[in-house]
Amino acid sequence: MHTTDQKSERVNGGADSSSSESFYAALSEIGQLLVRSLEPPVLYEAVIEVLERRIGARLVMVGELDRGAAWMQRIAPARVANGMADIYPERVPFTMARAAFWQGEPQVEADIRHTQGLEMFRPAYIRHDVTAAIAVPVLKFGEVCAALVIRASHASFFSARMIELLQQAAASIGLGLEAHEQRIRLLQSVRDEARQRCALRLLSEIIKRVTHSADEQTLLIEACRAARCIGGYRTAWIGLLDGNSGPLRLCACEGSADGAGIGSRLDLADARMVDTPALLAMSTGNAQVSHPPATIDACCPADVAITDLGAVLALPLRVDGAIIGVFVIGAVQADAFSTVELQVFSEMAIELGLGIQMQRGHAARLAAEQDLRFNLQHFRTILSKQYAGILVVSKDQRVKFANEAFCTLFGLSQTPAELEGQPAELVYSQLKQAYKDPEREWARIQEILARDEVVKGDEVAVKGGRIFLRDYTPISIDGEPQGRLWHQRDITEQKMHEARVERLAFYDVVTGLPNRRLLFELLEQARTRASQQHSLLAVGVLDLDRFKSVNDTIGHGGGDHVLAEASARILGMLREADVLARFGGDEFALVIPGLDSREQLDVISRCILQALRAPFNLLGEQLYLSASVGWTLYPIDESEPEGLVRHADLAMYAAKEEGKDRGALYEPAMELEQLRLQAMRERIAQALQQSHLQLLFQPIVYIDGLPGLHGVAGMEALLRLGDNGEELISPADFMHVLDDPQLARPIGRYVLDEALRRCQSWMQAGFPIPVSINISTRHLLHPAFFSDIDAVLDTYPGIMDLGFGVEVTETGPSMDHARAKVVIEECRRRGIRVGLDDFGTGSASLSHIQQLDIEHIKLDQSFVRDILSDERNMAIAAGVITTARMLARTVIAEGVETAEQGDLLASLGCHQLQGFSISRPMPAEAVPQWVAGWVPPASWAKLVNERQSLLAGQPDGR
């Protein structure tokens, strides 16, 4: 209580009476008050005491603003001395404050006795010798929330320095208020989190009760007990319906004396039950929260009604979807059940309903089996034949039963019969010796025995590398503990199988290398280390050149052997920290960390390629292979792992295009080229839909007098892209699209239909000229290839009388020679001519002439182009022509651009020619006119006569 003697109340000292030291001391003490984190009323009282003691302030008061009532309510001093109430009013109206005060400015009244609006306080000012006053606003979070009021006998007391001091004091009070509110908010957050944890813990405990309760009644009692003891709620009770619509019977209750009210019933038709949370929860099927008045007799059974509850939560209980009762929890706090808690409690009600359902099912089984009791002999008969080791210990801690498998698992010298009756402690000590870590397992056994709860799937490491799976089950009959059962089985083989499965998930079966999945994990780790160590990380993709021919030649088994040896050779070139993985097929990935320069990578790349050039020995044969490898360097290439591998793959394809058996480093231009190729694919797909693909036709002519219309053997259909209305684009720019998995067949069907349609139009015009078309390898080997052939022949039935041919390329990216042989033989059986295009560019062309049932071969233009100036090309051409003639195959030379080339090929025995010197590709409409005007060069006639003379065995001219 503040008391003021007559002397101190008479006169304040002037502003000068307070020294600078007093000002600083006052501010220092107020600062120390903030450190103590006082409650606001205590803080106010302490600040008043400091101001009165240090600077001689008098009649100091602190009031908080009640904006709703428009009053300033005095908070400090909390108690005033007798006769001082008039100068320390309980409330002061807002109207006394000027506008500047609400903007945070102090309000100084120098002549308070004559200030308008304060007449009601004038007698008090006169009685206490007050002539001046100041009200300093206290701001909390930028808003005026309180006022510091000081009265003085003279206006001079409120000097500029004094006002500044008081403003600082008010600011300190504001800081204290802000800190206090922040503490309140933090504490509320902590309380909310604690409540949520409590609710989750309660849910966990309910789930445990559901799992471990012996019967339904125990479950209900334990649920209520958990709500009261774990959740900390005032009361909890569970009522279940008698029948579908009978009264609500109280089955369990916590919070009333001695379980009062158990078994009592609530009549749901009672008027008092209307709008109670219990009835609403059961009628709506949703959780209900109620904030009851002082008494809530209708919220609980009469015997357990509690009068000090602030909130009640009712949760409907369901079994098999039907509501069978209600779980009611009462709390003292009105805000006890937040949204989060409601969600958790709703889950709790579901679990409790499931527990009731389980217990009722269990009770039904017990009722059906109530006359059955534990039959030891039957128990022995069953368990003795188990492969798992079983040990049963009685409640008096002696071995009740052990089977043969148990003795075998632990290598015990005693028989099961000899173990029976022995102290369990003795048997446990024998088992201890079999464990890999005896002390650890012995402690685990003691822990299990102490808890005496069900244990499932406890893995145990045993000497010799074996692993056991241990289960522990307490045995009780009619709720009475009878002992415990240990169940253990050897899962060593299972764990080894799991390890093998794990290895299959991350390692390649053929080579034992990491697979694609593991590679990306290792690459991500290496990428992180490279960033931390500021070193270069090389990522490579390596592909064996022409490996498909290896599989075709020696089979997939031999191919796997080659892959395994190739991976071993590469590993021999790598360090322990390097990674080699198999992507699939003949493609490998490499991760080389810790590089300092590109030159290091070049050396590694050359060593790997050199290792793969050495011959592979298989079944007494030597195979020679090479490889192409693409690289990218991180962090020069800052891509993610997938991007690094993709860039290395682009570089690998660039190495193949440069001639194979080499390495290449990724450059951004490679990705641009990939984008160009993808754009061309999309362009072709669009052109196919919009009919922008066109066919041109180039003649193939006889040079040795064989019959034909004007010496014309046929026309080859050549595909062109004409989607821009300007110059047609040749297949050289979109060759990669022709064997695309999605586009190969649609393009092939278009070419078939268009070529045969044009061929039929020539026939109808009197020019029966056969046509040949190029078929992609992928379309040729497609299961529906002959369906496409039959469909187009049905549309143009006259074509087969004239005949048409297909040409395939032996070097197609998807060529399967075994499958191709079957398809070509079927084509020949149907009367379709088959030719081998681009002959001489593949790896096994001569063997394919013999193996494949082809009619003709096309000598690739790369041999024809320089045949006049390059003796090697002429020798190759002569050899191919001679070999083909010996095998009764026709040879067509393509790319003949000069008459001299044609003459030379004719002299070598070539049958037919095709090229610019004969005719450039032309539209279908121009074919009849060209055929009608075609005249073979005169030089060919001389060659024909010479050949006929040789065949007749006579000199020329006779």
Side-chain angles (χ1 to χ4, degrees):
M1 176 181 296
H2 285 259
T3 62
T4 307
D5 60 28
Q6 295 295 322
K7 183 177 180 180
S8 64
E9 288 188 10
R10 294 294 296 175
V11 180
N12 288 95
D16 293 335
S17 65
S18 296
S19 66
S20 296
E21 288 80 7
S22 298
F23 277 35
Y24 294 137
L27 291 176
S28 175
E29 287 194 34
I30 292 174
Q32 292 175 11
L33 293 176
L34 297 182
V35 175
R36 292 163 59 188
S37 301
L38 302 175
E39 292 290 320
V42 179
L43 175 63
Y44 298 157
E45 298 279 1
V47 169
I48 291 174
E49 190 275 335
V50 171
L51 293 178
E52 289 178 346
R53 176 167 47 82
R54 285 293 185 183
I55 64 174
R58 59 187 291 263
L59 302 178
V60 184
M61 180 176 73
V62 179
E64 290 184 346
L65 303 184
D66 184 352
R67 295 185 181 274
W71 290 93
M72 183 188 79
Q73 188 76 30
R74 172 173 58 81
I75 305 300
R79 300 175 61 188
V80 298
N82 293 333
M84 302 294 291
D86 57 344
I87 201 66
Y88 290 109
E90 289 287 338
R91 296 185 301 176
V92 177
F94 277 8
T95 55
M96 298 181 62
R98 299 193 187 98
F101 176 86
W102 303 109
Q103 302 299 322
E105 296 293 331
Q107 181 173 330
V108 180
E109 300 294 348
D111 186 7
I112 197 168
R113 298 181 184 179
H114 298 91
T115 301
Q116 292 183 355
L118 303 180
E119 291 81 3
M120 60 184 297
F121 299 106
R122 190 167 296 162
Y125 297 154
I126 293 173
R127 192 165 73 85
H128 295 282
D129 192 23
V130 172
T131 61
I134 187 172
V136 184
V138 176
L139 277 67
K140 182 175 72 175
F141 300 117
E143 185 178 25
V144 177
C145 68
L148 172 63
V149 180
I150 301 175
R151 277 67 66 93
S153 298
H154 301 287
S156 60
F157 181 81
F158 300 111
S159 65
R161 290 182 58 208
M162 178 62 71
I163 294 174
E164 181 182 355
L165 168 66
L166 297 176
Q167 283 182 297
Q168 292 183 20
S172 297
I173 294 174
L175 290 174
L177 296 178
E178 290 177 358
H180 178 261
E181 184 162 328
Q182 288 174 342
R183 287 196 301 275
I184 290 175
R185 292 176 181 175
L186 178 60
L187 290 174
Q188 184 61 42
S189 175
V190 171
R191 284 194 293 269
D192 290 344
E193 183 179 354
R195 284 170 56 179
Q196 183 178 1
R197 288 199 305 269
C198 181
L200 291 174
R201 183 183 171 199
L202 178 55
L203 173 60
S204 176
E205 289 297 324
I206 291 295
I207 293 175
K208 289 181 180 179
R209 303 298 195 273
V210 167
T211 304
H212 301 299
S213 295
D215 51 46
E216 180 178 331
Q217 185 61 34
T218 303
L219 171 61
L220 301 181
I221 293 172
E222 289 295 324
C224 291
R225 186 167 299 158
R228 175 135 168 83
C229 299
I230 305 298
Y233 296 105
R234 180 67 177 83
T235 184
W237 61 272
I238 295 176
L240 300 182
L241 291 171
D242 282 343
N244 294 330
S245 59
L248 191 66
R249 179 172 53 86
L250 183 65
C251 297
C253 178
E254 283 287 329
S256 63
D258 300 325
I262 299 298
S264 62
R265 285 170 169 74
L266 282 175
D267 186 2
L268 298 181
D270 191 328
R272 295 185 306 162
M273 290 295 294
V274 176
D275 295 333
T276 59
L279 184 58
L280 289 174
M282 288 190 293
S283 60
T284 64
N286 299 317
Q288 299 292 326
V289 177
S290 173
H291 299 90
T295 61
I296 55 164
D297 292 344
C299 296
C300 305
D303 293 335
V304 297
I306 308 297
T307 59
D308 59 349
L309 298 182
V312 172
L313 169 65
L315 302 163
L317 299 177
R318 290 182 173 86
V319 169
D320 289 331
I323 294 177
I324 55 95
V326 65
F327 187 10
V328 180
I329 301 173
V332 175
Q333 302 86 357
D335 62 345
F337 304 113
S338 65
T339 302
V340 174
E341 288 168 310
L342 283 179
Q343 292 175 349
V344 175
F345 288 146
S346 295
E347 291 293 328
M348 184 176 68
I350 293 174
E351 294 294 337
L352 190 54
L354 291 175
I356 294 172
Q357 181 176 337
M358 291 168 52
Q359 291 296 341
R360 290 185 176 181
H362 179 64
R365 290 192 298 273
L366 290 178
E369 301 168 358
Q370 60 184 348
D371 58 334
L372 297 179
R373 288 292 181 265
F374 186 80
N375 188 318
L376 182 59
Q377 186 57 44
H378 182 61
F379 177 75
R380 290 172 179 273
T381 303
I382 295 175
L383 296 186
S384 295
K385 299 182 180 300
Q386 294 291 310
Y387 292 104
I390 295 174
L391 175 69
V392 179
V393 178
S394 64
K395 64 180 180 180
D396 59 355
Q397 305 302 318
R398 291 190 173 275
V399 175
K400 189 72 173 178
F401 174 82
N403 65 355
E404 189 67 38
F406 176 80
C407 298
T408 303
L409 282 177
F410 288 96
L412 301 180
S413 59
Q414 301 100 315
T415 65
E418 291 171 341
L419 288 178
E420 290 185 13
Q422 289 191 17
E425 194 78 14
L426 179 62
V427 177
Y428 292 154
S429 63
Q430 290 181 272
L431 303 185
K432 180 178 177 181
Q433 308 307 316
Y435 296 127
K436 182 178 180 181
D437 187 345
E439 296 304 323
R440 177 181 177 277
E441 290 304 328
W442 178 248
R444 176 60 177 155
I445 289 175
Q446 296 302 315
E447 177 188 354
I448 293 173
L449 292 173
R451 293 171 62 93
D452 200 32
E453 295 178 353
V454 174
V455 175
K456 294 290 186 183
D458 208 24
E459 286 193 9
V460 181
V462 184
K463 291 178 181 178
R466 293 183 300 159
I467 300 176
F468 290 177
L469 197 65
R470 173 173 60 200
D471 295 344
Y472 171 84
T473 306
I475 302 173
S476 62
I477 301 176
D478 294 333
E480 290 294 325
Q482 296 296 322
R484 53 188 61 92
L485 181 147
W486 296 91
H487 180 278
Q488 303 181 79
R489 60 185 185 275
D490 192 333
I491 59 168
T492 308
E493 288 295 327
Q494 176 184 336
K495 299 296 286 187
M496 293 175 61
H497 174 72
E498 291 174 356
R500 288 193 293 270
V501 171
E502 177 75 8
R503 181 167 183 81
L504 289 175
F506 290 99
Y507 292 89
D508 175 58
V509 176
V510 175
T511 62
L513 298 175
N515 60 14
R516 176 185 292 268
R517 178 181 176 185
L518 180 56
L519 168 73
F520 280 107
E521 294 184 11
L522 297 175
L523 177 53
E524 179 61 37
Q525 297 169 10
R527 187 171 170 271
T528 301
R529 286 194 298 271
S531 298
Q532 295 170 345
Q533 299 169 2
H534 304 291
S535 61
L536 292 176
L537 171 68
V539 179
V541 172
L542 181 144
D543 186 83
L544 298 179
D545 299 327
R546 293 178 291 274
F547 182 76
K548 195 174 189 310
S549 64
V550 174
N551 278 335
D552 294 340
T553 304
I554 63 176
H556 290 283
D560 289 347
H561 178 82
V562 172
L563 288 173
E565 184 175 342
S567 65
R569 292 186 185 183
I570 298 172
L571 285 172
M573 298 293 105
L574 302 180
R575 303 164 301 175
E576 185 176 350
D578 302 334
V579 175
L580 175 66
R582 185 187 177 199
F583 262 14
D586 59 335
E587 196 169 63
F588 298 86
L590 299 107
V591 179
I592 314 292
L595 298 181
D596 297 324
S597 65
R598 176 177 173 177
E599 287 70 23
Q600 282 184 285
L601 176 61
D602 291 340
V603 172
I604 295 171
S605 183
R606 287 196 299 270
C607 289
I608 291 173
L609 295 177
Q610 183 62 35
L612 294 174
R613 293 188 188 110
F616 290 79
N617 296 311
L618 185 66
L619 301 177
E621 299 290 335
Q622 287 190 334
L623 297 175
Y624 290 87
L625 294 178
S626 63
S628 301
V629 61
W631 299 96
T632 190
L633 285 169
Y634 176 85
I636 298 174
D637 181 352
E638 296 181 336
S639 302
E640 296 296 318
E642 293 80 3
L644 293 173
V645 172
R646 181 168 55 83
H647 291 167
D649 194 53
L650 290 175
M652 183 270 291
Y653 279 107
K656 282 188 176 292
E657 292 175 1
E658 292 171 7
K660 302 183 177 67
D661 192 20
R662 66 192 64 206
L665 187 64
Y666 167 75
E667 297 176 1
M670 295 177 182
E671 190 154 24
L672 294 177
E673 175 63 14
Q674 186 70 15
L675 293 174
R676 186 193 70 79
L677 294 177
Q678 179 61 24
M680 178 58 76
R681 180 193 180 281
E682 295 173 358
R683 186 175 172 185
I684 292 295
Q686 189 173 12
L688 190 62
Q689 294 178 349
Q690 299 176 354
S691 301
H692 286 163
L693 294 178
Q694 299 181 26
L695 289 185
L696 297 181
F697 297 88
Q698 188 174 34
I700 302 171
V701 298
Y702 293 114
I703 61 173
D704 54 2
L706 293 177
L709 183 62
H710 301 284
V712 178
M715 291 284 173
E716 180 182 6
L718 302 174
L719 186 64
R720 298 290 186 268
L721 172 62
D723 59 350
N724 56 10
E726 298 176 358
E727 182 179 357
L728 296 178
I729 299 175
S730 68
D733 291 328
F734 56 86
M735 188 64 67
H736 65 288
V737 182
L738 299 181
D739 209 57
D740 183 85
Q742 281 75 43
L743 295 178
R745 186 186 176 203
I747 293 174
R749 293 170 66 180
Y750 163 76
V751 173
L752 276 170
D753 183 81
E754 180 67 9
L756 268 62
R757 183 176 71 85
R758 295 297 190 175
C759 183
Q760 182 167 283
S761 68
W762 302 333
M763 290 176 58
Q764 294 171 349
F767 291 88
I769 306 298
V771 69
S772 62
I773 62 174
N774 292 286
I775 292 292
S776 73
T777 305
R778 194 172 297 277
H779 190 198
L780 179 77
L781 302 182
H782 195 281
F785 174 67
F786 287 110
S787 297
D788 297 340
I789 292 290
D790 292 339
V792 75
L793 289 178
D794 289 342
T795 305
Y796 309 107
I799 296 300
M800 284 308 295
D801 295 334
L802 181 63
F804 82 99
V806 297
E807 294 182 0
V808 298
T809 303
E810 61 160 336
T811 56
S814 57
M815 175 62 80
D816 180 343
H817 289 91
R819 169 68 178 156
K821 183 175 185 295
V822 174
V823 174
I824 291 172
E825 288 175 353
E826 177 61 19
C827 287
R828 297 287 285 156
R829 189 185 67 79
R830 291 168 173 248
I832 300 172
R833 294 180 288 107
V834 181
L836 197 60
D837 199 7
D838 298 335
F839 184 77
T841 60
S843 59
S845 298
L846 293 177
S847 64
H848 292 163
I849 297 178
Q850 181 181 10
Q851 295 172 5
L852 302 179
D853 187 15
I854 57 174
E855 179 189 75
H856 65 270
I857 61 174
K858 274 195 163 181
L859 182 63
D860 187 71
Q861 58 183 339
S862 61
F863 301 114
V864 175
R865 185 180 303 113
D866 300 322
I867 194 170
L868 297 175
S869 58
D870 191 330
E871 293 182 355
R872 292 174 299 178
N873 282 349
M874 185 175 70
I876 292 173
V880 170
I881 293 170
T882 301
T883 303
R885 292 181 69 90
M886 293 177 65
L887 295 173
R889 305 289 194 267
T890 300
V891 178
I892 303 173
E894 58 181 354
V896 180
E897 298 183 353
T898 66
E900 291 77 7
Q901 291 174 341
D903 292 346
L904 178 57
L905 288 165
S907 67
L908 293 176
C910 186
H911 304 96
Q912 300 170 25
L913 298 181
Q914 178 183 2
F916 287 175
S917 67
I918 299 166
S919 174
R920 290 181 174 275
M922 67 187 76
E925 295 80 3
V927 168
Q929 182 180 355
W930 185 90
V931 171
W934 163 247
V935 177
S939 59
W940 293 4
K942 179 181 178 182
L943 292 170
V944 170
N945 292 334
E946 290 177 353
R947 186 178 302 171
Q948 290 177 343
S949 298
L950 290 173
L951 292 174
Q954 298 177 355
D956 184 39
R958 294 184 182 180

